[in-house]
Amino acid sequence: MLDKELSKMLSSQVNAEFYSAFSYLAMSASADKMGLKGAAHWLFVQYQEELTHATHMYEYILSRDGDVFFDKIDKPVFDGKTLAAVFDAVLCHERAVTAGINAIATQAMKCFDHATYQFVSWFVSEQVQEESKARDIIDKLKLIKNDTGMLLSLDAQLATRVFVDELAAAKKQ
Ligand code: MG
């Protein structure tokens, strides 16, 4: 059976992933309102991914006979005036998620819970990608500054993102 502290931490992370999803949905709406449909799509895919993260963690807790603790999901708070502000908020948020994931990995090590450590290791790697993706877009937005043509070009690139439940794909391998 899953250690109670680990169950609580994983449950908090389920909540954090739903909060992430909720935040990205709100950010997607902001981008849509800016007329940036590609960025709105990218953020909507991010919303879909976060839902799968929450669901996989929820399933893992139950598969280990742990308890799932439910809490309220906070209202998303971010500056949605510009796409640069939105992606600054994305990076800031993902750094907080990384801290939560790392804390779970540390607790799993302390409990000698190899299964949980292995499960959460996927998320450790995922967070490296999440932060890298956000930084990449922030860097491009810094180069773009106020160039509308370049912004629309980036928007077209963001529109090509395809949703994949990567953890489900990894489990099949
Ligand atoms: Mg996530």
Side-chain angles (χ1 to χ4, degrees):
M1 186 176 171
L2 201 58
D3 168 75
K4 190 158 187 178
E5 184 57 29
L6 262 177
S7 273
K8 280 187 181 165
M9 291 175 84
L10 283 162
S11 294
S12 295
Q13 199 59 40
V14 171
N15 186 287
E17 299 292 339
F18 277 120
Y19 173 71
S20 295
F22 203 27
S23 297
Y24 287 129
L25 191 60
M27 290 174 184
S28 178
S30 291
D32 192 281
K33 289 283 178 188
M34 290 173 211
L36 297 169
K37 299 280 184 191
H41 168 78
W42 193 97
L43 290 159
F44 189 85
V45 170
Q46 193 73 8
Y47 152 76
Q48 290 175 297
E49 275 196 13
E50 300 304 342
L51 289 179
T52 68
H53 295 168
T55 306
H56 284 295
M57 279 183 196
Y58 161 84
E59 287 173 346
Y60 177 76
I61 297 168
L62 292 178
S63 75
R64 293 289 311 281
D65 198 22
D67 295 312
V68 186
F69 300 92
F70 288 89
D71 207 346
K72 73 167 184 166
I73 297 165
D74 291 334
K75 182 179 174 178
V77 178
F78 63 94
D79 178 355
K81 289 191 196 80
T82 66
L83 196 61
V86 167
F87 275 93
D88 282 344
V90 168
L91 181 57
C92 182
H93 177 69
E94 287 302 335
R95 284 177 173 156
V97 172
T98 300
I101 296 286
N102 287 344
I104 294 169
T106 303
Q107 181 66 17
M109 279 193 276
K110 279 184 189 163
C111 297
F112 301 106
D113 186 337
H114 301 281
T116 299
Y117 184 77
Q118 189 181 38
F119 171 75
V120 84
S121 291
W122 184 87
F123 288 90
V124 171
S125 303
E126 168 70 8
Q127 283 311 117
V128 173
Q129 293 303 315
E130 295 282 37
E131 290 189 26
S132 174
K133 279 189 294 186
R135 272 200 313 275
D136 184 44
I137 295 169
I138 288 168
D139 287 346
K140 284 182 179 150
L141 286 166
K142 279 180 187 159
L143 291 170
I144 287 168
K145 290 184 185 148
N146 296 318
D147 187 324
T148 307
M150 281 174 70
L151 180 61
L152 291 176
S153 171
L154 174 65
D155 193 56
Q157 194 186 323
L158 296 176
T160 62
R161 185 175 182 188
V162 177
F163 166 67
V164 179
D165 183 344
E166 287 175 1
L167 186 51
K171 280 179 180 173
K172 282 181 192 160
Q173 284 173 357

